[in-house]
Amino acid sequence: MDLIGWAASAATLATYSMKTMLPLRIAAIISNLFFIAYSLLLSLWPMLFLDLILLPFNLWRTAQILRLRRRVAATRSVDSLDFSVLKSYSRPRRMPAGTDIFCRGDTPDALYFIDSGEIRLEELDITLGAGEIFGEIAFFTDAKARTATARCTVDSQVHVVDEATFLRLYFQDPAFGMAIMKTITRRLVQSVERRPDMFQHSFAGPGAAAVATGTR
C-alpha cells in the first residue's frame, strides 16, 4: 500500500513538472489510477471521490489534445485550406462589383472570408475566389497597414471578422493558425514570383535582385 501511495505521489509531482500538455495529462491519468487504488485499499473515500472525478476529466482533455494534433497534421498535409469556420463568427455582407473593401495603407481592422464572388488584390496581382480569405497579412506586420488594395471584380458576398475575434481564433486553435501561416507564406511566394520588382528594394547588399527573384 505504501508503494502505491508513493507511486501516486511521484506521478503527481511529475504532472507539475511537465512543460507540455500531453505528457502532463498522461502523468495526471497515472496519478489518478494510483490514487484510486490507494484510496480503495485504505478506504479513503474523499480522495477516492476526487480521483474518480479527475480521471474522466483528464481522459477527456487527453482526447482533445490528440484530436487537435490530428487536425494540425491534416492542415499541414492538404493543399486546399478550409476557412468556413469564420462564417460562424460573422454576418455576410453583399458588395457590388467595383467596391474597394480597403485600400493600401489603411489601418487593418478585420479579416475577410469570401463566401461568393471574386476579390482582386491590386498591388499583389492576385485574384481570390469563394472559400479564400484576405486581409490577414497586415496583422503580422510592424507597419500595421494594409499592403494592397482589395477590390470586388464581381458582385460578392464577404464575411467580415474583427481583429479581436481573428486573434482569438489564431492563438486558441493551432489548426487555424497553421492554415493562416500557410496562406501567408503561399501568397508571399506568389507575389515574389509575379512581381519581383516590388521586393528588390526590401533587400540590402549585393545580390538583392537574385534573392528577390528566387535565384539564390
Side-chain angles (χ1 to χ4, degrees):
M1 287 187 294
D2 287 341
L3 288 175
I4 294 174
W6 282 111
S9 299
T12 301
L13 181 62
T15 300
Y16 284 99
S17 65
M18 296 299 176
K19 295 182 180 180
T20 55
M21 289 305 300
L22 185 58
L24 183 151
R25 292 297 176 184
I26 293 174
I29 290 170
I30 295 172
S31 172
N32 293 148
L33 292 173
F34 276 125
F35 271 122
I36 288 172
Y38 187 68
S39 302
L40 284 171
L41 289 171
L42 295 180
S43 300
L44 302 175
W45 308 125
M47 183 181 294
L48 177 62
F49 175 75
L50 176 62
D51 282 282
L52 285 175
I53 293 176
L54 290 176
L55 178 59
F57 180 77
N58 282 316
L59 288 170
W60 175 49
R61 290 299 191 191
T62 302
Q64 283 185 318
I65 294 171
L66 293 174
R67 283 197 300 270
L68 191 57
R69 284 191 167 193
R70 287 194 293 268
R71 285 182 58 200
V72 172
T75 302
R76 293 179 62 183
S77 61
V78 299
D79 292 328
S80 58
L81 303 174
D82 183 12
F83 293 104
S84 58
V85 64
L86 294 172
K87 297 169 67 173
S88 303
Y89 295 89
S90 61
R91 293 182 178 180
R93 296 184 186 178
R94 293 191 176 277
M95 299 182 178
T99 301
D100 285 346
I101 300 175
F102 55 75
C103 297
R104 184 177 183 179
D106 287 352
T107 301
D109 58 356
L111 168 74
Y112 301 86
F113 173 81
I114 307 171
D115 197 17
S116 62
E118 284 186 353
I119 307 296
R120 181 172 178 79
L121 305 180
E122 295 291 341
E123 290 81 1
L124 301 180
D125 193 25
I126 295 175
T127 300
L128 306 175
E132 297 189 88
I133 60 170
F134 63 98
E136 78 289 343
I137 293 180
F139 293 126
F140 297 92
T141 62
D142 293 333
K144 278 290 184 180
R146 296 293 186 190
T147 57
T149 298
R151 180 173 296 126
C152 299
T153 57
V154 298
D155 292 346
S156 304
Q157 182 166 286
V158 177
H159 285 260
V160 183
V161 180
D162 63 76
E163 181 178 6
T165 302
F166 165 69
L167 292 177
R168 185 170 67 252
L169 281 170
Y170 179 80
F171 287 110
Q172 292 182 355
D173 188 342
F176 177 79
M178 176 66 70
I180 289 292
M181 296 312 298
K182 286 188 69 173
T183 300
I184 292 175
T185 303
R186 182 182 300 168
R187 288 181 183 166
L188 288 175
V189 171
Q190 290 174 347
S191 298
V192 172
E193 290 176 346
R194 296 181 184 184
R195 299 287 301 277
D197 56 296
M198 291 182 60
F199 296 87
Q200 288 181 7
H201 299 294
S202 300
F203 299 90
V211 174
T213 55
T215 57
R216 175 175 296 182

